[in-house]
Amino acid sequence: MRLTIVGTGYVGLVTGTCFANTGNEVVCLDLDEAKIEALRAGISPIYEPGLDDLIKKALRARRLHFTTDRTTAYDGAEAIFICVGTPSDAEGRADLKYIFSAARDVAAALDRRPPPAPGELPPIVVTKSTVPVGTNAKVKELIRSLTDRPFAMASNPEFLKEGAAIHDFYKPDRVIIGVEDKAVGTELRELYEPYVRQGNPIFVMDIPSAEMVKYASNAMLATKISFINEIANLSEALGAEIEEVRRGMCSDSRIGNQFLYPGLGYGGSCFPKDVLACVSMGTDSGTPTALLKAVHDVNQAQRQTFIQKINQHFAGELADKRIAVWGLSFKPRTDDVREAPAINVVRWLVAQGADVVAYDPVATETFRAEVGDTIRYTETNFDALDGADALVICTEWSEFRQPQFDEMATRMRGRVIFDGRNCYRPEVVAEHGFTYYSIGRRPVHA
Ligand code: UDX
Ligand code: UDX
């Protein structure tokens, strides 16, 4: 099919690139000139394992094109995927201004088309961005108010985990397609056929249900994380060991063991905003969402709980302490720092007058753009340790998993580790002479 992707962020870029690599003709549109220039040169503006190669491959095959031209971008498109950002606004609602801006561009493009030939299927406007239930109806109404040309609406939410987005695109657990017209469902089902050859399902349903599936899925995953963090805090207070509790609990087949890892809580551009969007949908519809409000509150509080561990250990005296920070991205295998717990931790340390030296394998520049140069950044994780009174771990990058504790001890001034992602076994750390704070486990002292 000939496709236009609007928005080349983490979702749009992966979507367009993967569709192009299975033979579709794809035009990716973004308003960010620099981003498009880089993409035309085969350089991905985001870190996503394997994406660079797929972009270059599709460019060589001339099946992937990048443009900022909001008129020609839609020429000949049989399906237009809207993948622009839907960030939270000040009240926690999904800000839809980019969605409606894209919808107006689509309407103008459709209006420039000649009337369809007899039997020609109308172009499909597909909302892939996460949008509150009912948004597709508003997009349809807006486009209809601007053009008489025929088109069809569809909702096709994404379930891509950053750092594993290409795998998740090509091997989805399920594909969700919301339509008003069964023929449109058939067309989109064919588009996704190459990715469901192992029998993973494509569910075609009504549009509001498709919009809701996305929120329900992310809210469920976020709930699991806040749940395990609350149990971790309770375990720690009562002298239980959360990793043992986890093992015992997760062996129940009804519970499972995914998304039940305690830590600093969830970040990223999805869970925080999607949980808040659910709460807002509840408010706007007069439907109580007490559980999801609590999921959000528990998640935000988890960062403060961790910060208090640092504060209490140093008895509030952080001024002039040198603190090494390992991990800045919101999770491993991404350079995305949106809602990253490291932002809260680092900002607090700086406010206390600490001298912060940070390392992240790929997110230094995105973190610097957010937090600036009030801290120093190093090229290696061990360089960040020189003279440090303590090490704080905010992201569980695999390169942190088995450090040379002896070398750490020689480079650091203090022997304290605050581990926000339970990277280590407490007894191993204590054997190397460190005091070790983590999540859901009592501190161990050297
Ligand atoms: C976004 C939403 O945040 C997410 O909820 C949705 O599921 C998919 O789209 P993401 O790809 O991470 O996820 O967004 P972001 O990284 O912010 O990329 C959005 C892109 O759209 C940016 O490149 C931005 O330049 C572009 N954009 C934004 C447009 O091209 N036109 C606009 O009007 C607005
Ligand atoms: C998520 C959803 O997984 C994906 O389906 C959706 O399309 C977009 O949002 P993403 O935000 O990229 O993907 O990352 P994910 O791997 O889901 O992790 C989200 C956050 O939860 C991260 O901050 C991670 O550190 C945290 N997390 C995850 C935990 O704290 N504990 C866990 O057990 C799992």
Side-chain angles (χ1 to χ4, degrees):
M1 281 178 82
R2 286 192 303 282
L3 310 173
T4 295
I5 309 291
V6 188
T8 58
Y10 288 86
V11 175
L13 182 54
V14 169
T15 299
T17 302
C18 289
F19 273 143
N21 275 288
T22 42
N24 298 288
E25 183 79 20
V26 178
V27 174
C28 288
L29 166 67
D30 200 294
L31 49 68
D32 184 328
E33 298 267 357
K35 193 176 274 194
I36 292 298
E37 275 316 301
L39 285 164
R40 280 191 178 132
I43 300 160
S44 167
I46 60 172
Y47 174 87
E48 182 62 51
L51 184 59
D52 272 25
D53 292 346
L54 287 177
I55 292 172
K56 290 182 174 69
K57 195 171 152 201
L59 284 171
R60 279 196 303 274
R62 291 184 173 48
R63 274 199 291 271
L64 182 59
H65 314 277
F66 295 103
T67 182
T68 56
D69 184 334
R70 291 158 52 198
T71 51
T72 58
Y74 301 93
D75 290 355
E78 296 164 88
I80 297 163
F81 284 80
I82 299 179
C83 301
V84 295
T86 52
S88 289
D89 66 15
E91 286 76 50
R93 285 181 174 72
D95 182 345
L96 300 176
K97 64 173 177 285
Y98 299 134
I99 295 282
F100 295 134
S101 163
R104 280 190 284 275
D105 285 352
V106 169
L110 297 181
D111 209 43
R112 284 192 296 273
R113 290 190 179 190
E120 182 184 340
L121 287 173
I124 309 170
V125 180
V126 186
T127 308
K128 186 169 275 290
S129 293
T130 303
V131 292
V133 177
T135 302
N136 274 274
K138 292 176 184 166
V139 169
K140 178 182 177 183
E141 192 184 321
L142 175 57
I143 296 174
R144 177 56 66 232
S145 72
L146 297 169
T147 178
D148 294 332
R149 290 286 184 265
F151 67 95
M153 277 312 292
S155 165
N156 173 221
E158 49 85 20
F159 300 96
L160 308 177
K161 294 188 297 299
E162 289 185 32
I166 290 164
H167 169 275
D168 291 347
F169 191 92
Y170 280 140
K171 290 184 170 45
D173 286 343
R174 73 319 201 171
V175 178
I176 299 292
I177 296 171
V179 292
E180 293 169 321
D181 175 343
K182 285 259 181 283
V184 175
T186 305
E187 244 192 297
L188 291 175
R189 189 187 277 277
E190 280 162 27
L191 178 63
Y192 276 97
E193 271 316 318
Y195 320 127
V196 294
R197 301 162 67 87
Q198 287 87 353
N200 29 344
I202 297 179
F203 295 120
V204 180
M205 59 184 73
D206 63 277
I207 289 181
S209 299
E211 291 169 321
M212 192 68 220
V213 163
K214 170 67 184 176
Y215 279 107
S217 302
N218 271 8
M220 177 64 201
L221 294 168
T223 300
K224 290 183 82 172
I225 294 165
S226 282
F227 168 81
I228 198 65
N229 282 334
E230 188 151 282
I231 295 296
N233 297 339
L234 192 55
S235 301
E236 184 170 341
L238 301 174
E241 211 286 9
I242 189 59
E243 298 306 332
E244 299 300 335
V245 171
R246 235 182 62 79
R247 260 209 291 269
M249 182 180 81
C250 298
S251 53
D252 182 323
S253 59
R254 296 166 302 172
I255 296 175
N257 62 7
Q258 295 206 49
F259 280 72
L260 285 169
Y261 291 97
L264 269 163
Y266 58 79
S269 75
C270 291
F271 285 0
K273 77 174 172 64
D274 292 352
V275 169
L276 284 176
C278 282
V279 173
S280 300
M281 285 191 280
T283 306
D284 295 349
S285 63
T287 312
T289 54
L291 174 63
L292 294 178
K293 181 82 179 60
V295 165
H296 170 75
D297 293 344
V298 165
N299 189 60
Q300 295 314 99
Q302 192 66 358
R303 297 155 194 231
Q304 300 311 322
T305 303
F306 184 68
I307 284 171
Q308 280 318 308
K309 291 176 191 273
I310 303 171
N311 193 42
Q312 278 156 18
H313 174 85
F314 288 106
E317 287 301 318
L318 272 297
D320 304 327
K321 291 284 188 308
R322 177 171 298 176
I323 307 294
V325 175
W326 283 2
L328 300 174
S329 56
F330 82 92
K331 65 173 226 178
R333 293 180 308 286
T334 183
D335 63 349
D336 198 346
V337 297
R338 287 178 285 190
E339 299 289 323
I343 293 175
N344 304 78
V345 173
V346 165
R347 282 194 169 138
W348 178 81
L349 287 168
V350 169
Q352 303 304 309
D355 168 21
V356 177
V357 187
Y359 167 78
D360 186 284
V362 299
T364 297
E365 289 319 312
T366 44
F367 195 85
R368 193 200 302 269
E370 183 68 30
V371 171
D373 287 301
T374 53
I375 67 172
R376 285 180 290 136
Y377 302 89
T378 59
E379 291 298 311
T380 74
N381 58 334
F382 271 69
D383 286 350
L385 297 178
D386 290 338
D389 295 291
L391 165 63
V392 174
I393 301 176
C394 293
T395 314
E396 67 281 23
W397 282 94
S398 54
E399 65 187 81
F400 303 157
R401 291 273 182 202
Q402 292 180 314
Q404 303 306 315
F405 286 106
D406 296 340
E407 187 188 342
M408 290 171 71
T410 60
R411 296 185 73 156
M412 292 174 68
R413 183 166 61 186
R415 297 280 183 286
V416 188
I417 298 174
F418 299 92
D419 182 358
R421 296 291 180 184
N422 288 5
C423 296
Y424 310 129
R425 285 189 294 121
E427 59 277 11
V428 170
V429 186
E431 277 162 21
H432 288 83
F434 284 86
T435 292
Y436 178 63
Y437 298 89
S438 55
I439 306 291
R441 312 187 286 194
R442 286 260 163 93
V444 287
H445 299 283

